Amino acid sequence: MNKTLNKLLYRKDLDTFMYWPLSTNFDETEEYKNGFLKLDTGENIFDFPKQIWDKLKTLQLKYYPGISDELISLLAKKDKITKENIYLGGGSLNLVDAIIRLFIDPGDEVITCSPTYVMYEYFVQLARGKTIDVPRKDTEIDIKAIKNSLTSKTKMIILDNPTNPFGYTISQEQIRSLLNLQII
């Protein structure tokens, strides 16, 4: 297809979009050859025991299992809510993407506290929102700085607990303080 025509069709904001390279051949990189292990997305560096491989061979895994109505019913009963209030996704990355797409409109601001999971910014940018980073003070989130960063465009605050990649925790008191702001 004509490159000029392609340039006319796609979203212009994608020219500056944060690129997230996915490496499928990490074992061919210099880092791997120098003894580094790739652990940033939950990789298993150990092989499965033979018994597990043997069991996996007997399972019917050729179809996606779908969303389990039985699981949704059990969760609803346990948490005393209706089934319509439960959304299951294909892993946490899928859920983060879905939540951001559901709530963030172009121009909305989302506060994050670095260091944090880089995919939050990726999905906010994909939704045409803007990430406002409020760096931590050492290992603690800075409640005062978060509150000072709020604008009329602030739609969401994303906090991971424990944080990715360092495992810092956020106290219940800090979470309650932010929940009182009545921002997603």
Side-chain angles (χ1 to χ4, degrees), residues 59-157:
L59 298 176
Q60 294 292 319
L61 298 174
K62 56 186 172 185
Y63 303 108
Y64 280 104
I67 300 299
S68 168
D69 191 54
E70 181 182 2
L71 176 59
I72 291 173
S73 296
L74 288 169
L75 291 170
K77 183 178 178 182
K78 175 191 167 291
D79 292 331
K80 298 180 178 89
I81 58 175
T82 64
K83 293 185 340 182
E84 293 76 23
N85 288 305
I86 296 177
Y87 177 80
L88 300 180
S92 60
L93 191 61
N94 173 251
L95 294 170
V96 168
D97 180 26
I99 290 167
I100 290 171
R101 285 180 194 239
L102 179 63
F103 292 105
I104 301 304
D105 289 312
D108 286 344
E109 294 177 355
V110 176
I111 293 176
T112 60
C113 300
S114 62
T116 192
Y117 189 42
V118 297
M119 294 303 286
Y120 298 145
E121 182 177 0
Y122 177 84
F123 287 122
V124 169
Q125 188 176 6
L126 187 60
R128 298 182 185 177
K130 180 180 179 185
T131 303
I132 306 299
D133 181 41
V134 179
R136 293 168 176 271
K137 284 184 173 178
D138 297 316
T139 63
E140 297 289 319
I141 60 172
D142 187 343
I143 299 288
K144 184 177 179 183
I146 291 171
K147 290 179 178 179
N148 289 338
S149 297
L150 298 175
T151 71
S152 62
K153 294 182 180 184
T154 305
K155 186 97 171 254
M156 181 182 289
I157 300 170

Side-chain angles (χ1 to χ4, degrees), residues 31-48:
E31 292 88 354
Y32 180 81
K33 291 174 184 173
N34 289 321
F36 286 89
L37 298 174
K38 183 178 185 307
L39 300 175
D40 66 328
T41 53
E43 292 87 354
N44 180 4
I45 61 171
F46 305 105
D47 199 359
F48 287 115

Side-chain angles (χ1 to χ4, degrees), residues 14-28:
L14 294 179
D15 284 336
T16 59
F17 193 68
M18 181 178 100
Y19 175 66
W20 183 258
L22 295 175
S23 173
T24 56
N25 299 319
F26 183 76
D27 56 348
E28 297 174 10

